[in-house]
Amino acid sequence: MLNNDTLRSIRYMLDLADQHVVQIIGLTGKTVEVADVNAWLRKEDEEGFKPCSDETMAHFLDGLIIQRRGRDESQPPRPVEKRINNNVVLKKLRVAFELKDVDLHEIMQAAGFPVSKQEMNALFRQPKHANFRLCGDQFLRNFLKGLTLRLRG
């Protein structure tokens, strides 16, 4: 899934203005402009569209964790991922919204995309684990849809 689509979906889910997105990214120490956010939120075929980089998306998700859960001063800051995939997005959203296994299953059920506990756990494993499974675009889209239903009603 394109980072721009994910950003657009999370922005709608949380009802964030462009300035709020800038502030969330700023929590990680990265500076972006409102014009950049505006370009990332445009559709691919619109004039002024700019792709959102993996690094910027990682900063946004890390900033979302800091905004929702606070900064852990006892730990050194984690390095920001240079490459991001759907599994990383899923993990970071799970942390930001403090979701447990039961919550994840309810979210997927609400989206009309039920999954088993084993399927769900496979998405959160380390890539070298034998039971690791890549998170597909359809799964992430349904997860974002279910989370939006949960947060917005």
Side-chain angles (χ1 to χ4, degrees):
M1 201 164 145
L2 287 177
N3 290 334
N4 298 60
D5 295 334
T6 305
L7 182 63
R8 214 176 290 119
S9 181
I10 294 170
R11 180 180 176 263
Y12 170 75
M13 175 193 320
L14 298 174
D15 197 21
L16 300 173
D18 293 355
Q19 184 60 39
H20 289 119
V21 174
V22 170
Q23 291 169 351
I24 289 171
I25 293 171
L27 292 173
T28 63
K30 182 174 175 75
T31 306
V32 295
E33 301 295 323
V34 174
D36 295 326
V37 173
N38 191 290
W40 296 327
L41 296 174
R42 293 178 185 271
K43 299 280 187 188
E44 288 179 64
D45 56 353
E46 287 183 46
E47 189 175 325
F49 169 82
K50 222 168 72 170
C52 180
S53 70
D54 285 348
E55 186 179 355
T56 301
M57 188 58 167
H59 277 285
F60 174 72
L61 292 169
D62 288 344
L64 192 60
I65 292 169
I66 293 168
Q67 181 201 36
R68 296 190 59 89
R69 297 191 62 172
R71 192 181 306 270
D72 186 0
E73 300 298 338
S74 67
Q75 299 289 326
R78 294 181 57 138
V80 175
E81 288 89 354
K82 299 292 183 209
R83 298 283 305 143
I84 200 162
N85 61 24
N86 292 348
N87 293 67
V88 174
V89 171
L90 197 60
K91 286 178 188 178
K92 288 184 180 284
L93 289 174
R94 181 181 187 179
V95 171
F97 292 98
E98 301 180 56
L99 301 171
K100 307 286 183 233
D101 287 346
V102 173
D103 300 321
L104 294 170
H105 289 289
E106 288 173 1
I107 287 168
M108 294 308 290
Q109 190 75 35
F113 197 82
V115 293
S116 71
K117 185 173 182 162
Q118 293 81 7
E119 288 176 298
M120 187 68 74
N121 288 339
L123 298 170
F124 294 100
R125 297 197 183 278
Q126 293 297 319
K128 294 187 191 258
H129 192 279
N131 294 330
F132 171 77
R133 190 177 116 201
L134 275 173
C135 179
D137 290 349
Q138 182 182 15
F139 186 94
L140 184 59
R141 262 190 225 97
N142 280 294
F143 175 77
L144 291 169
K145 176 183 170 186
L147 189 57
T148 300
L149 289 171
R150 183 182 183 114
L151 296 175
R152 291 191 74 145

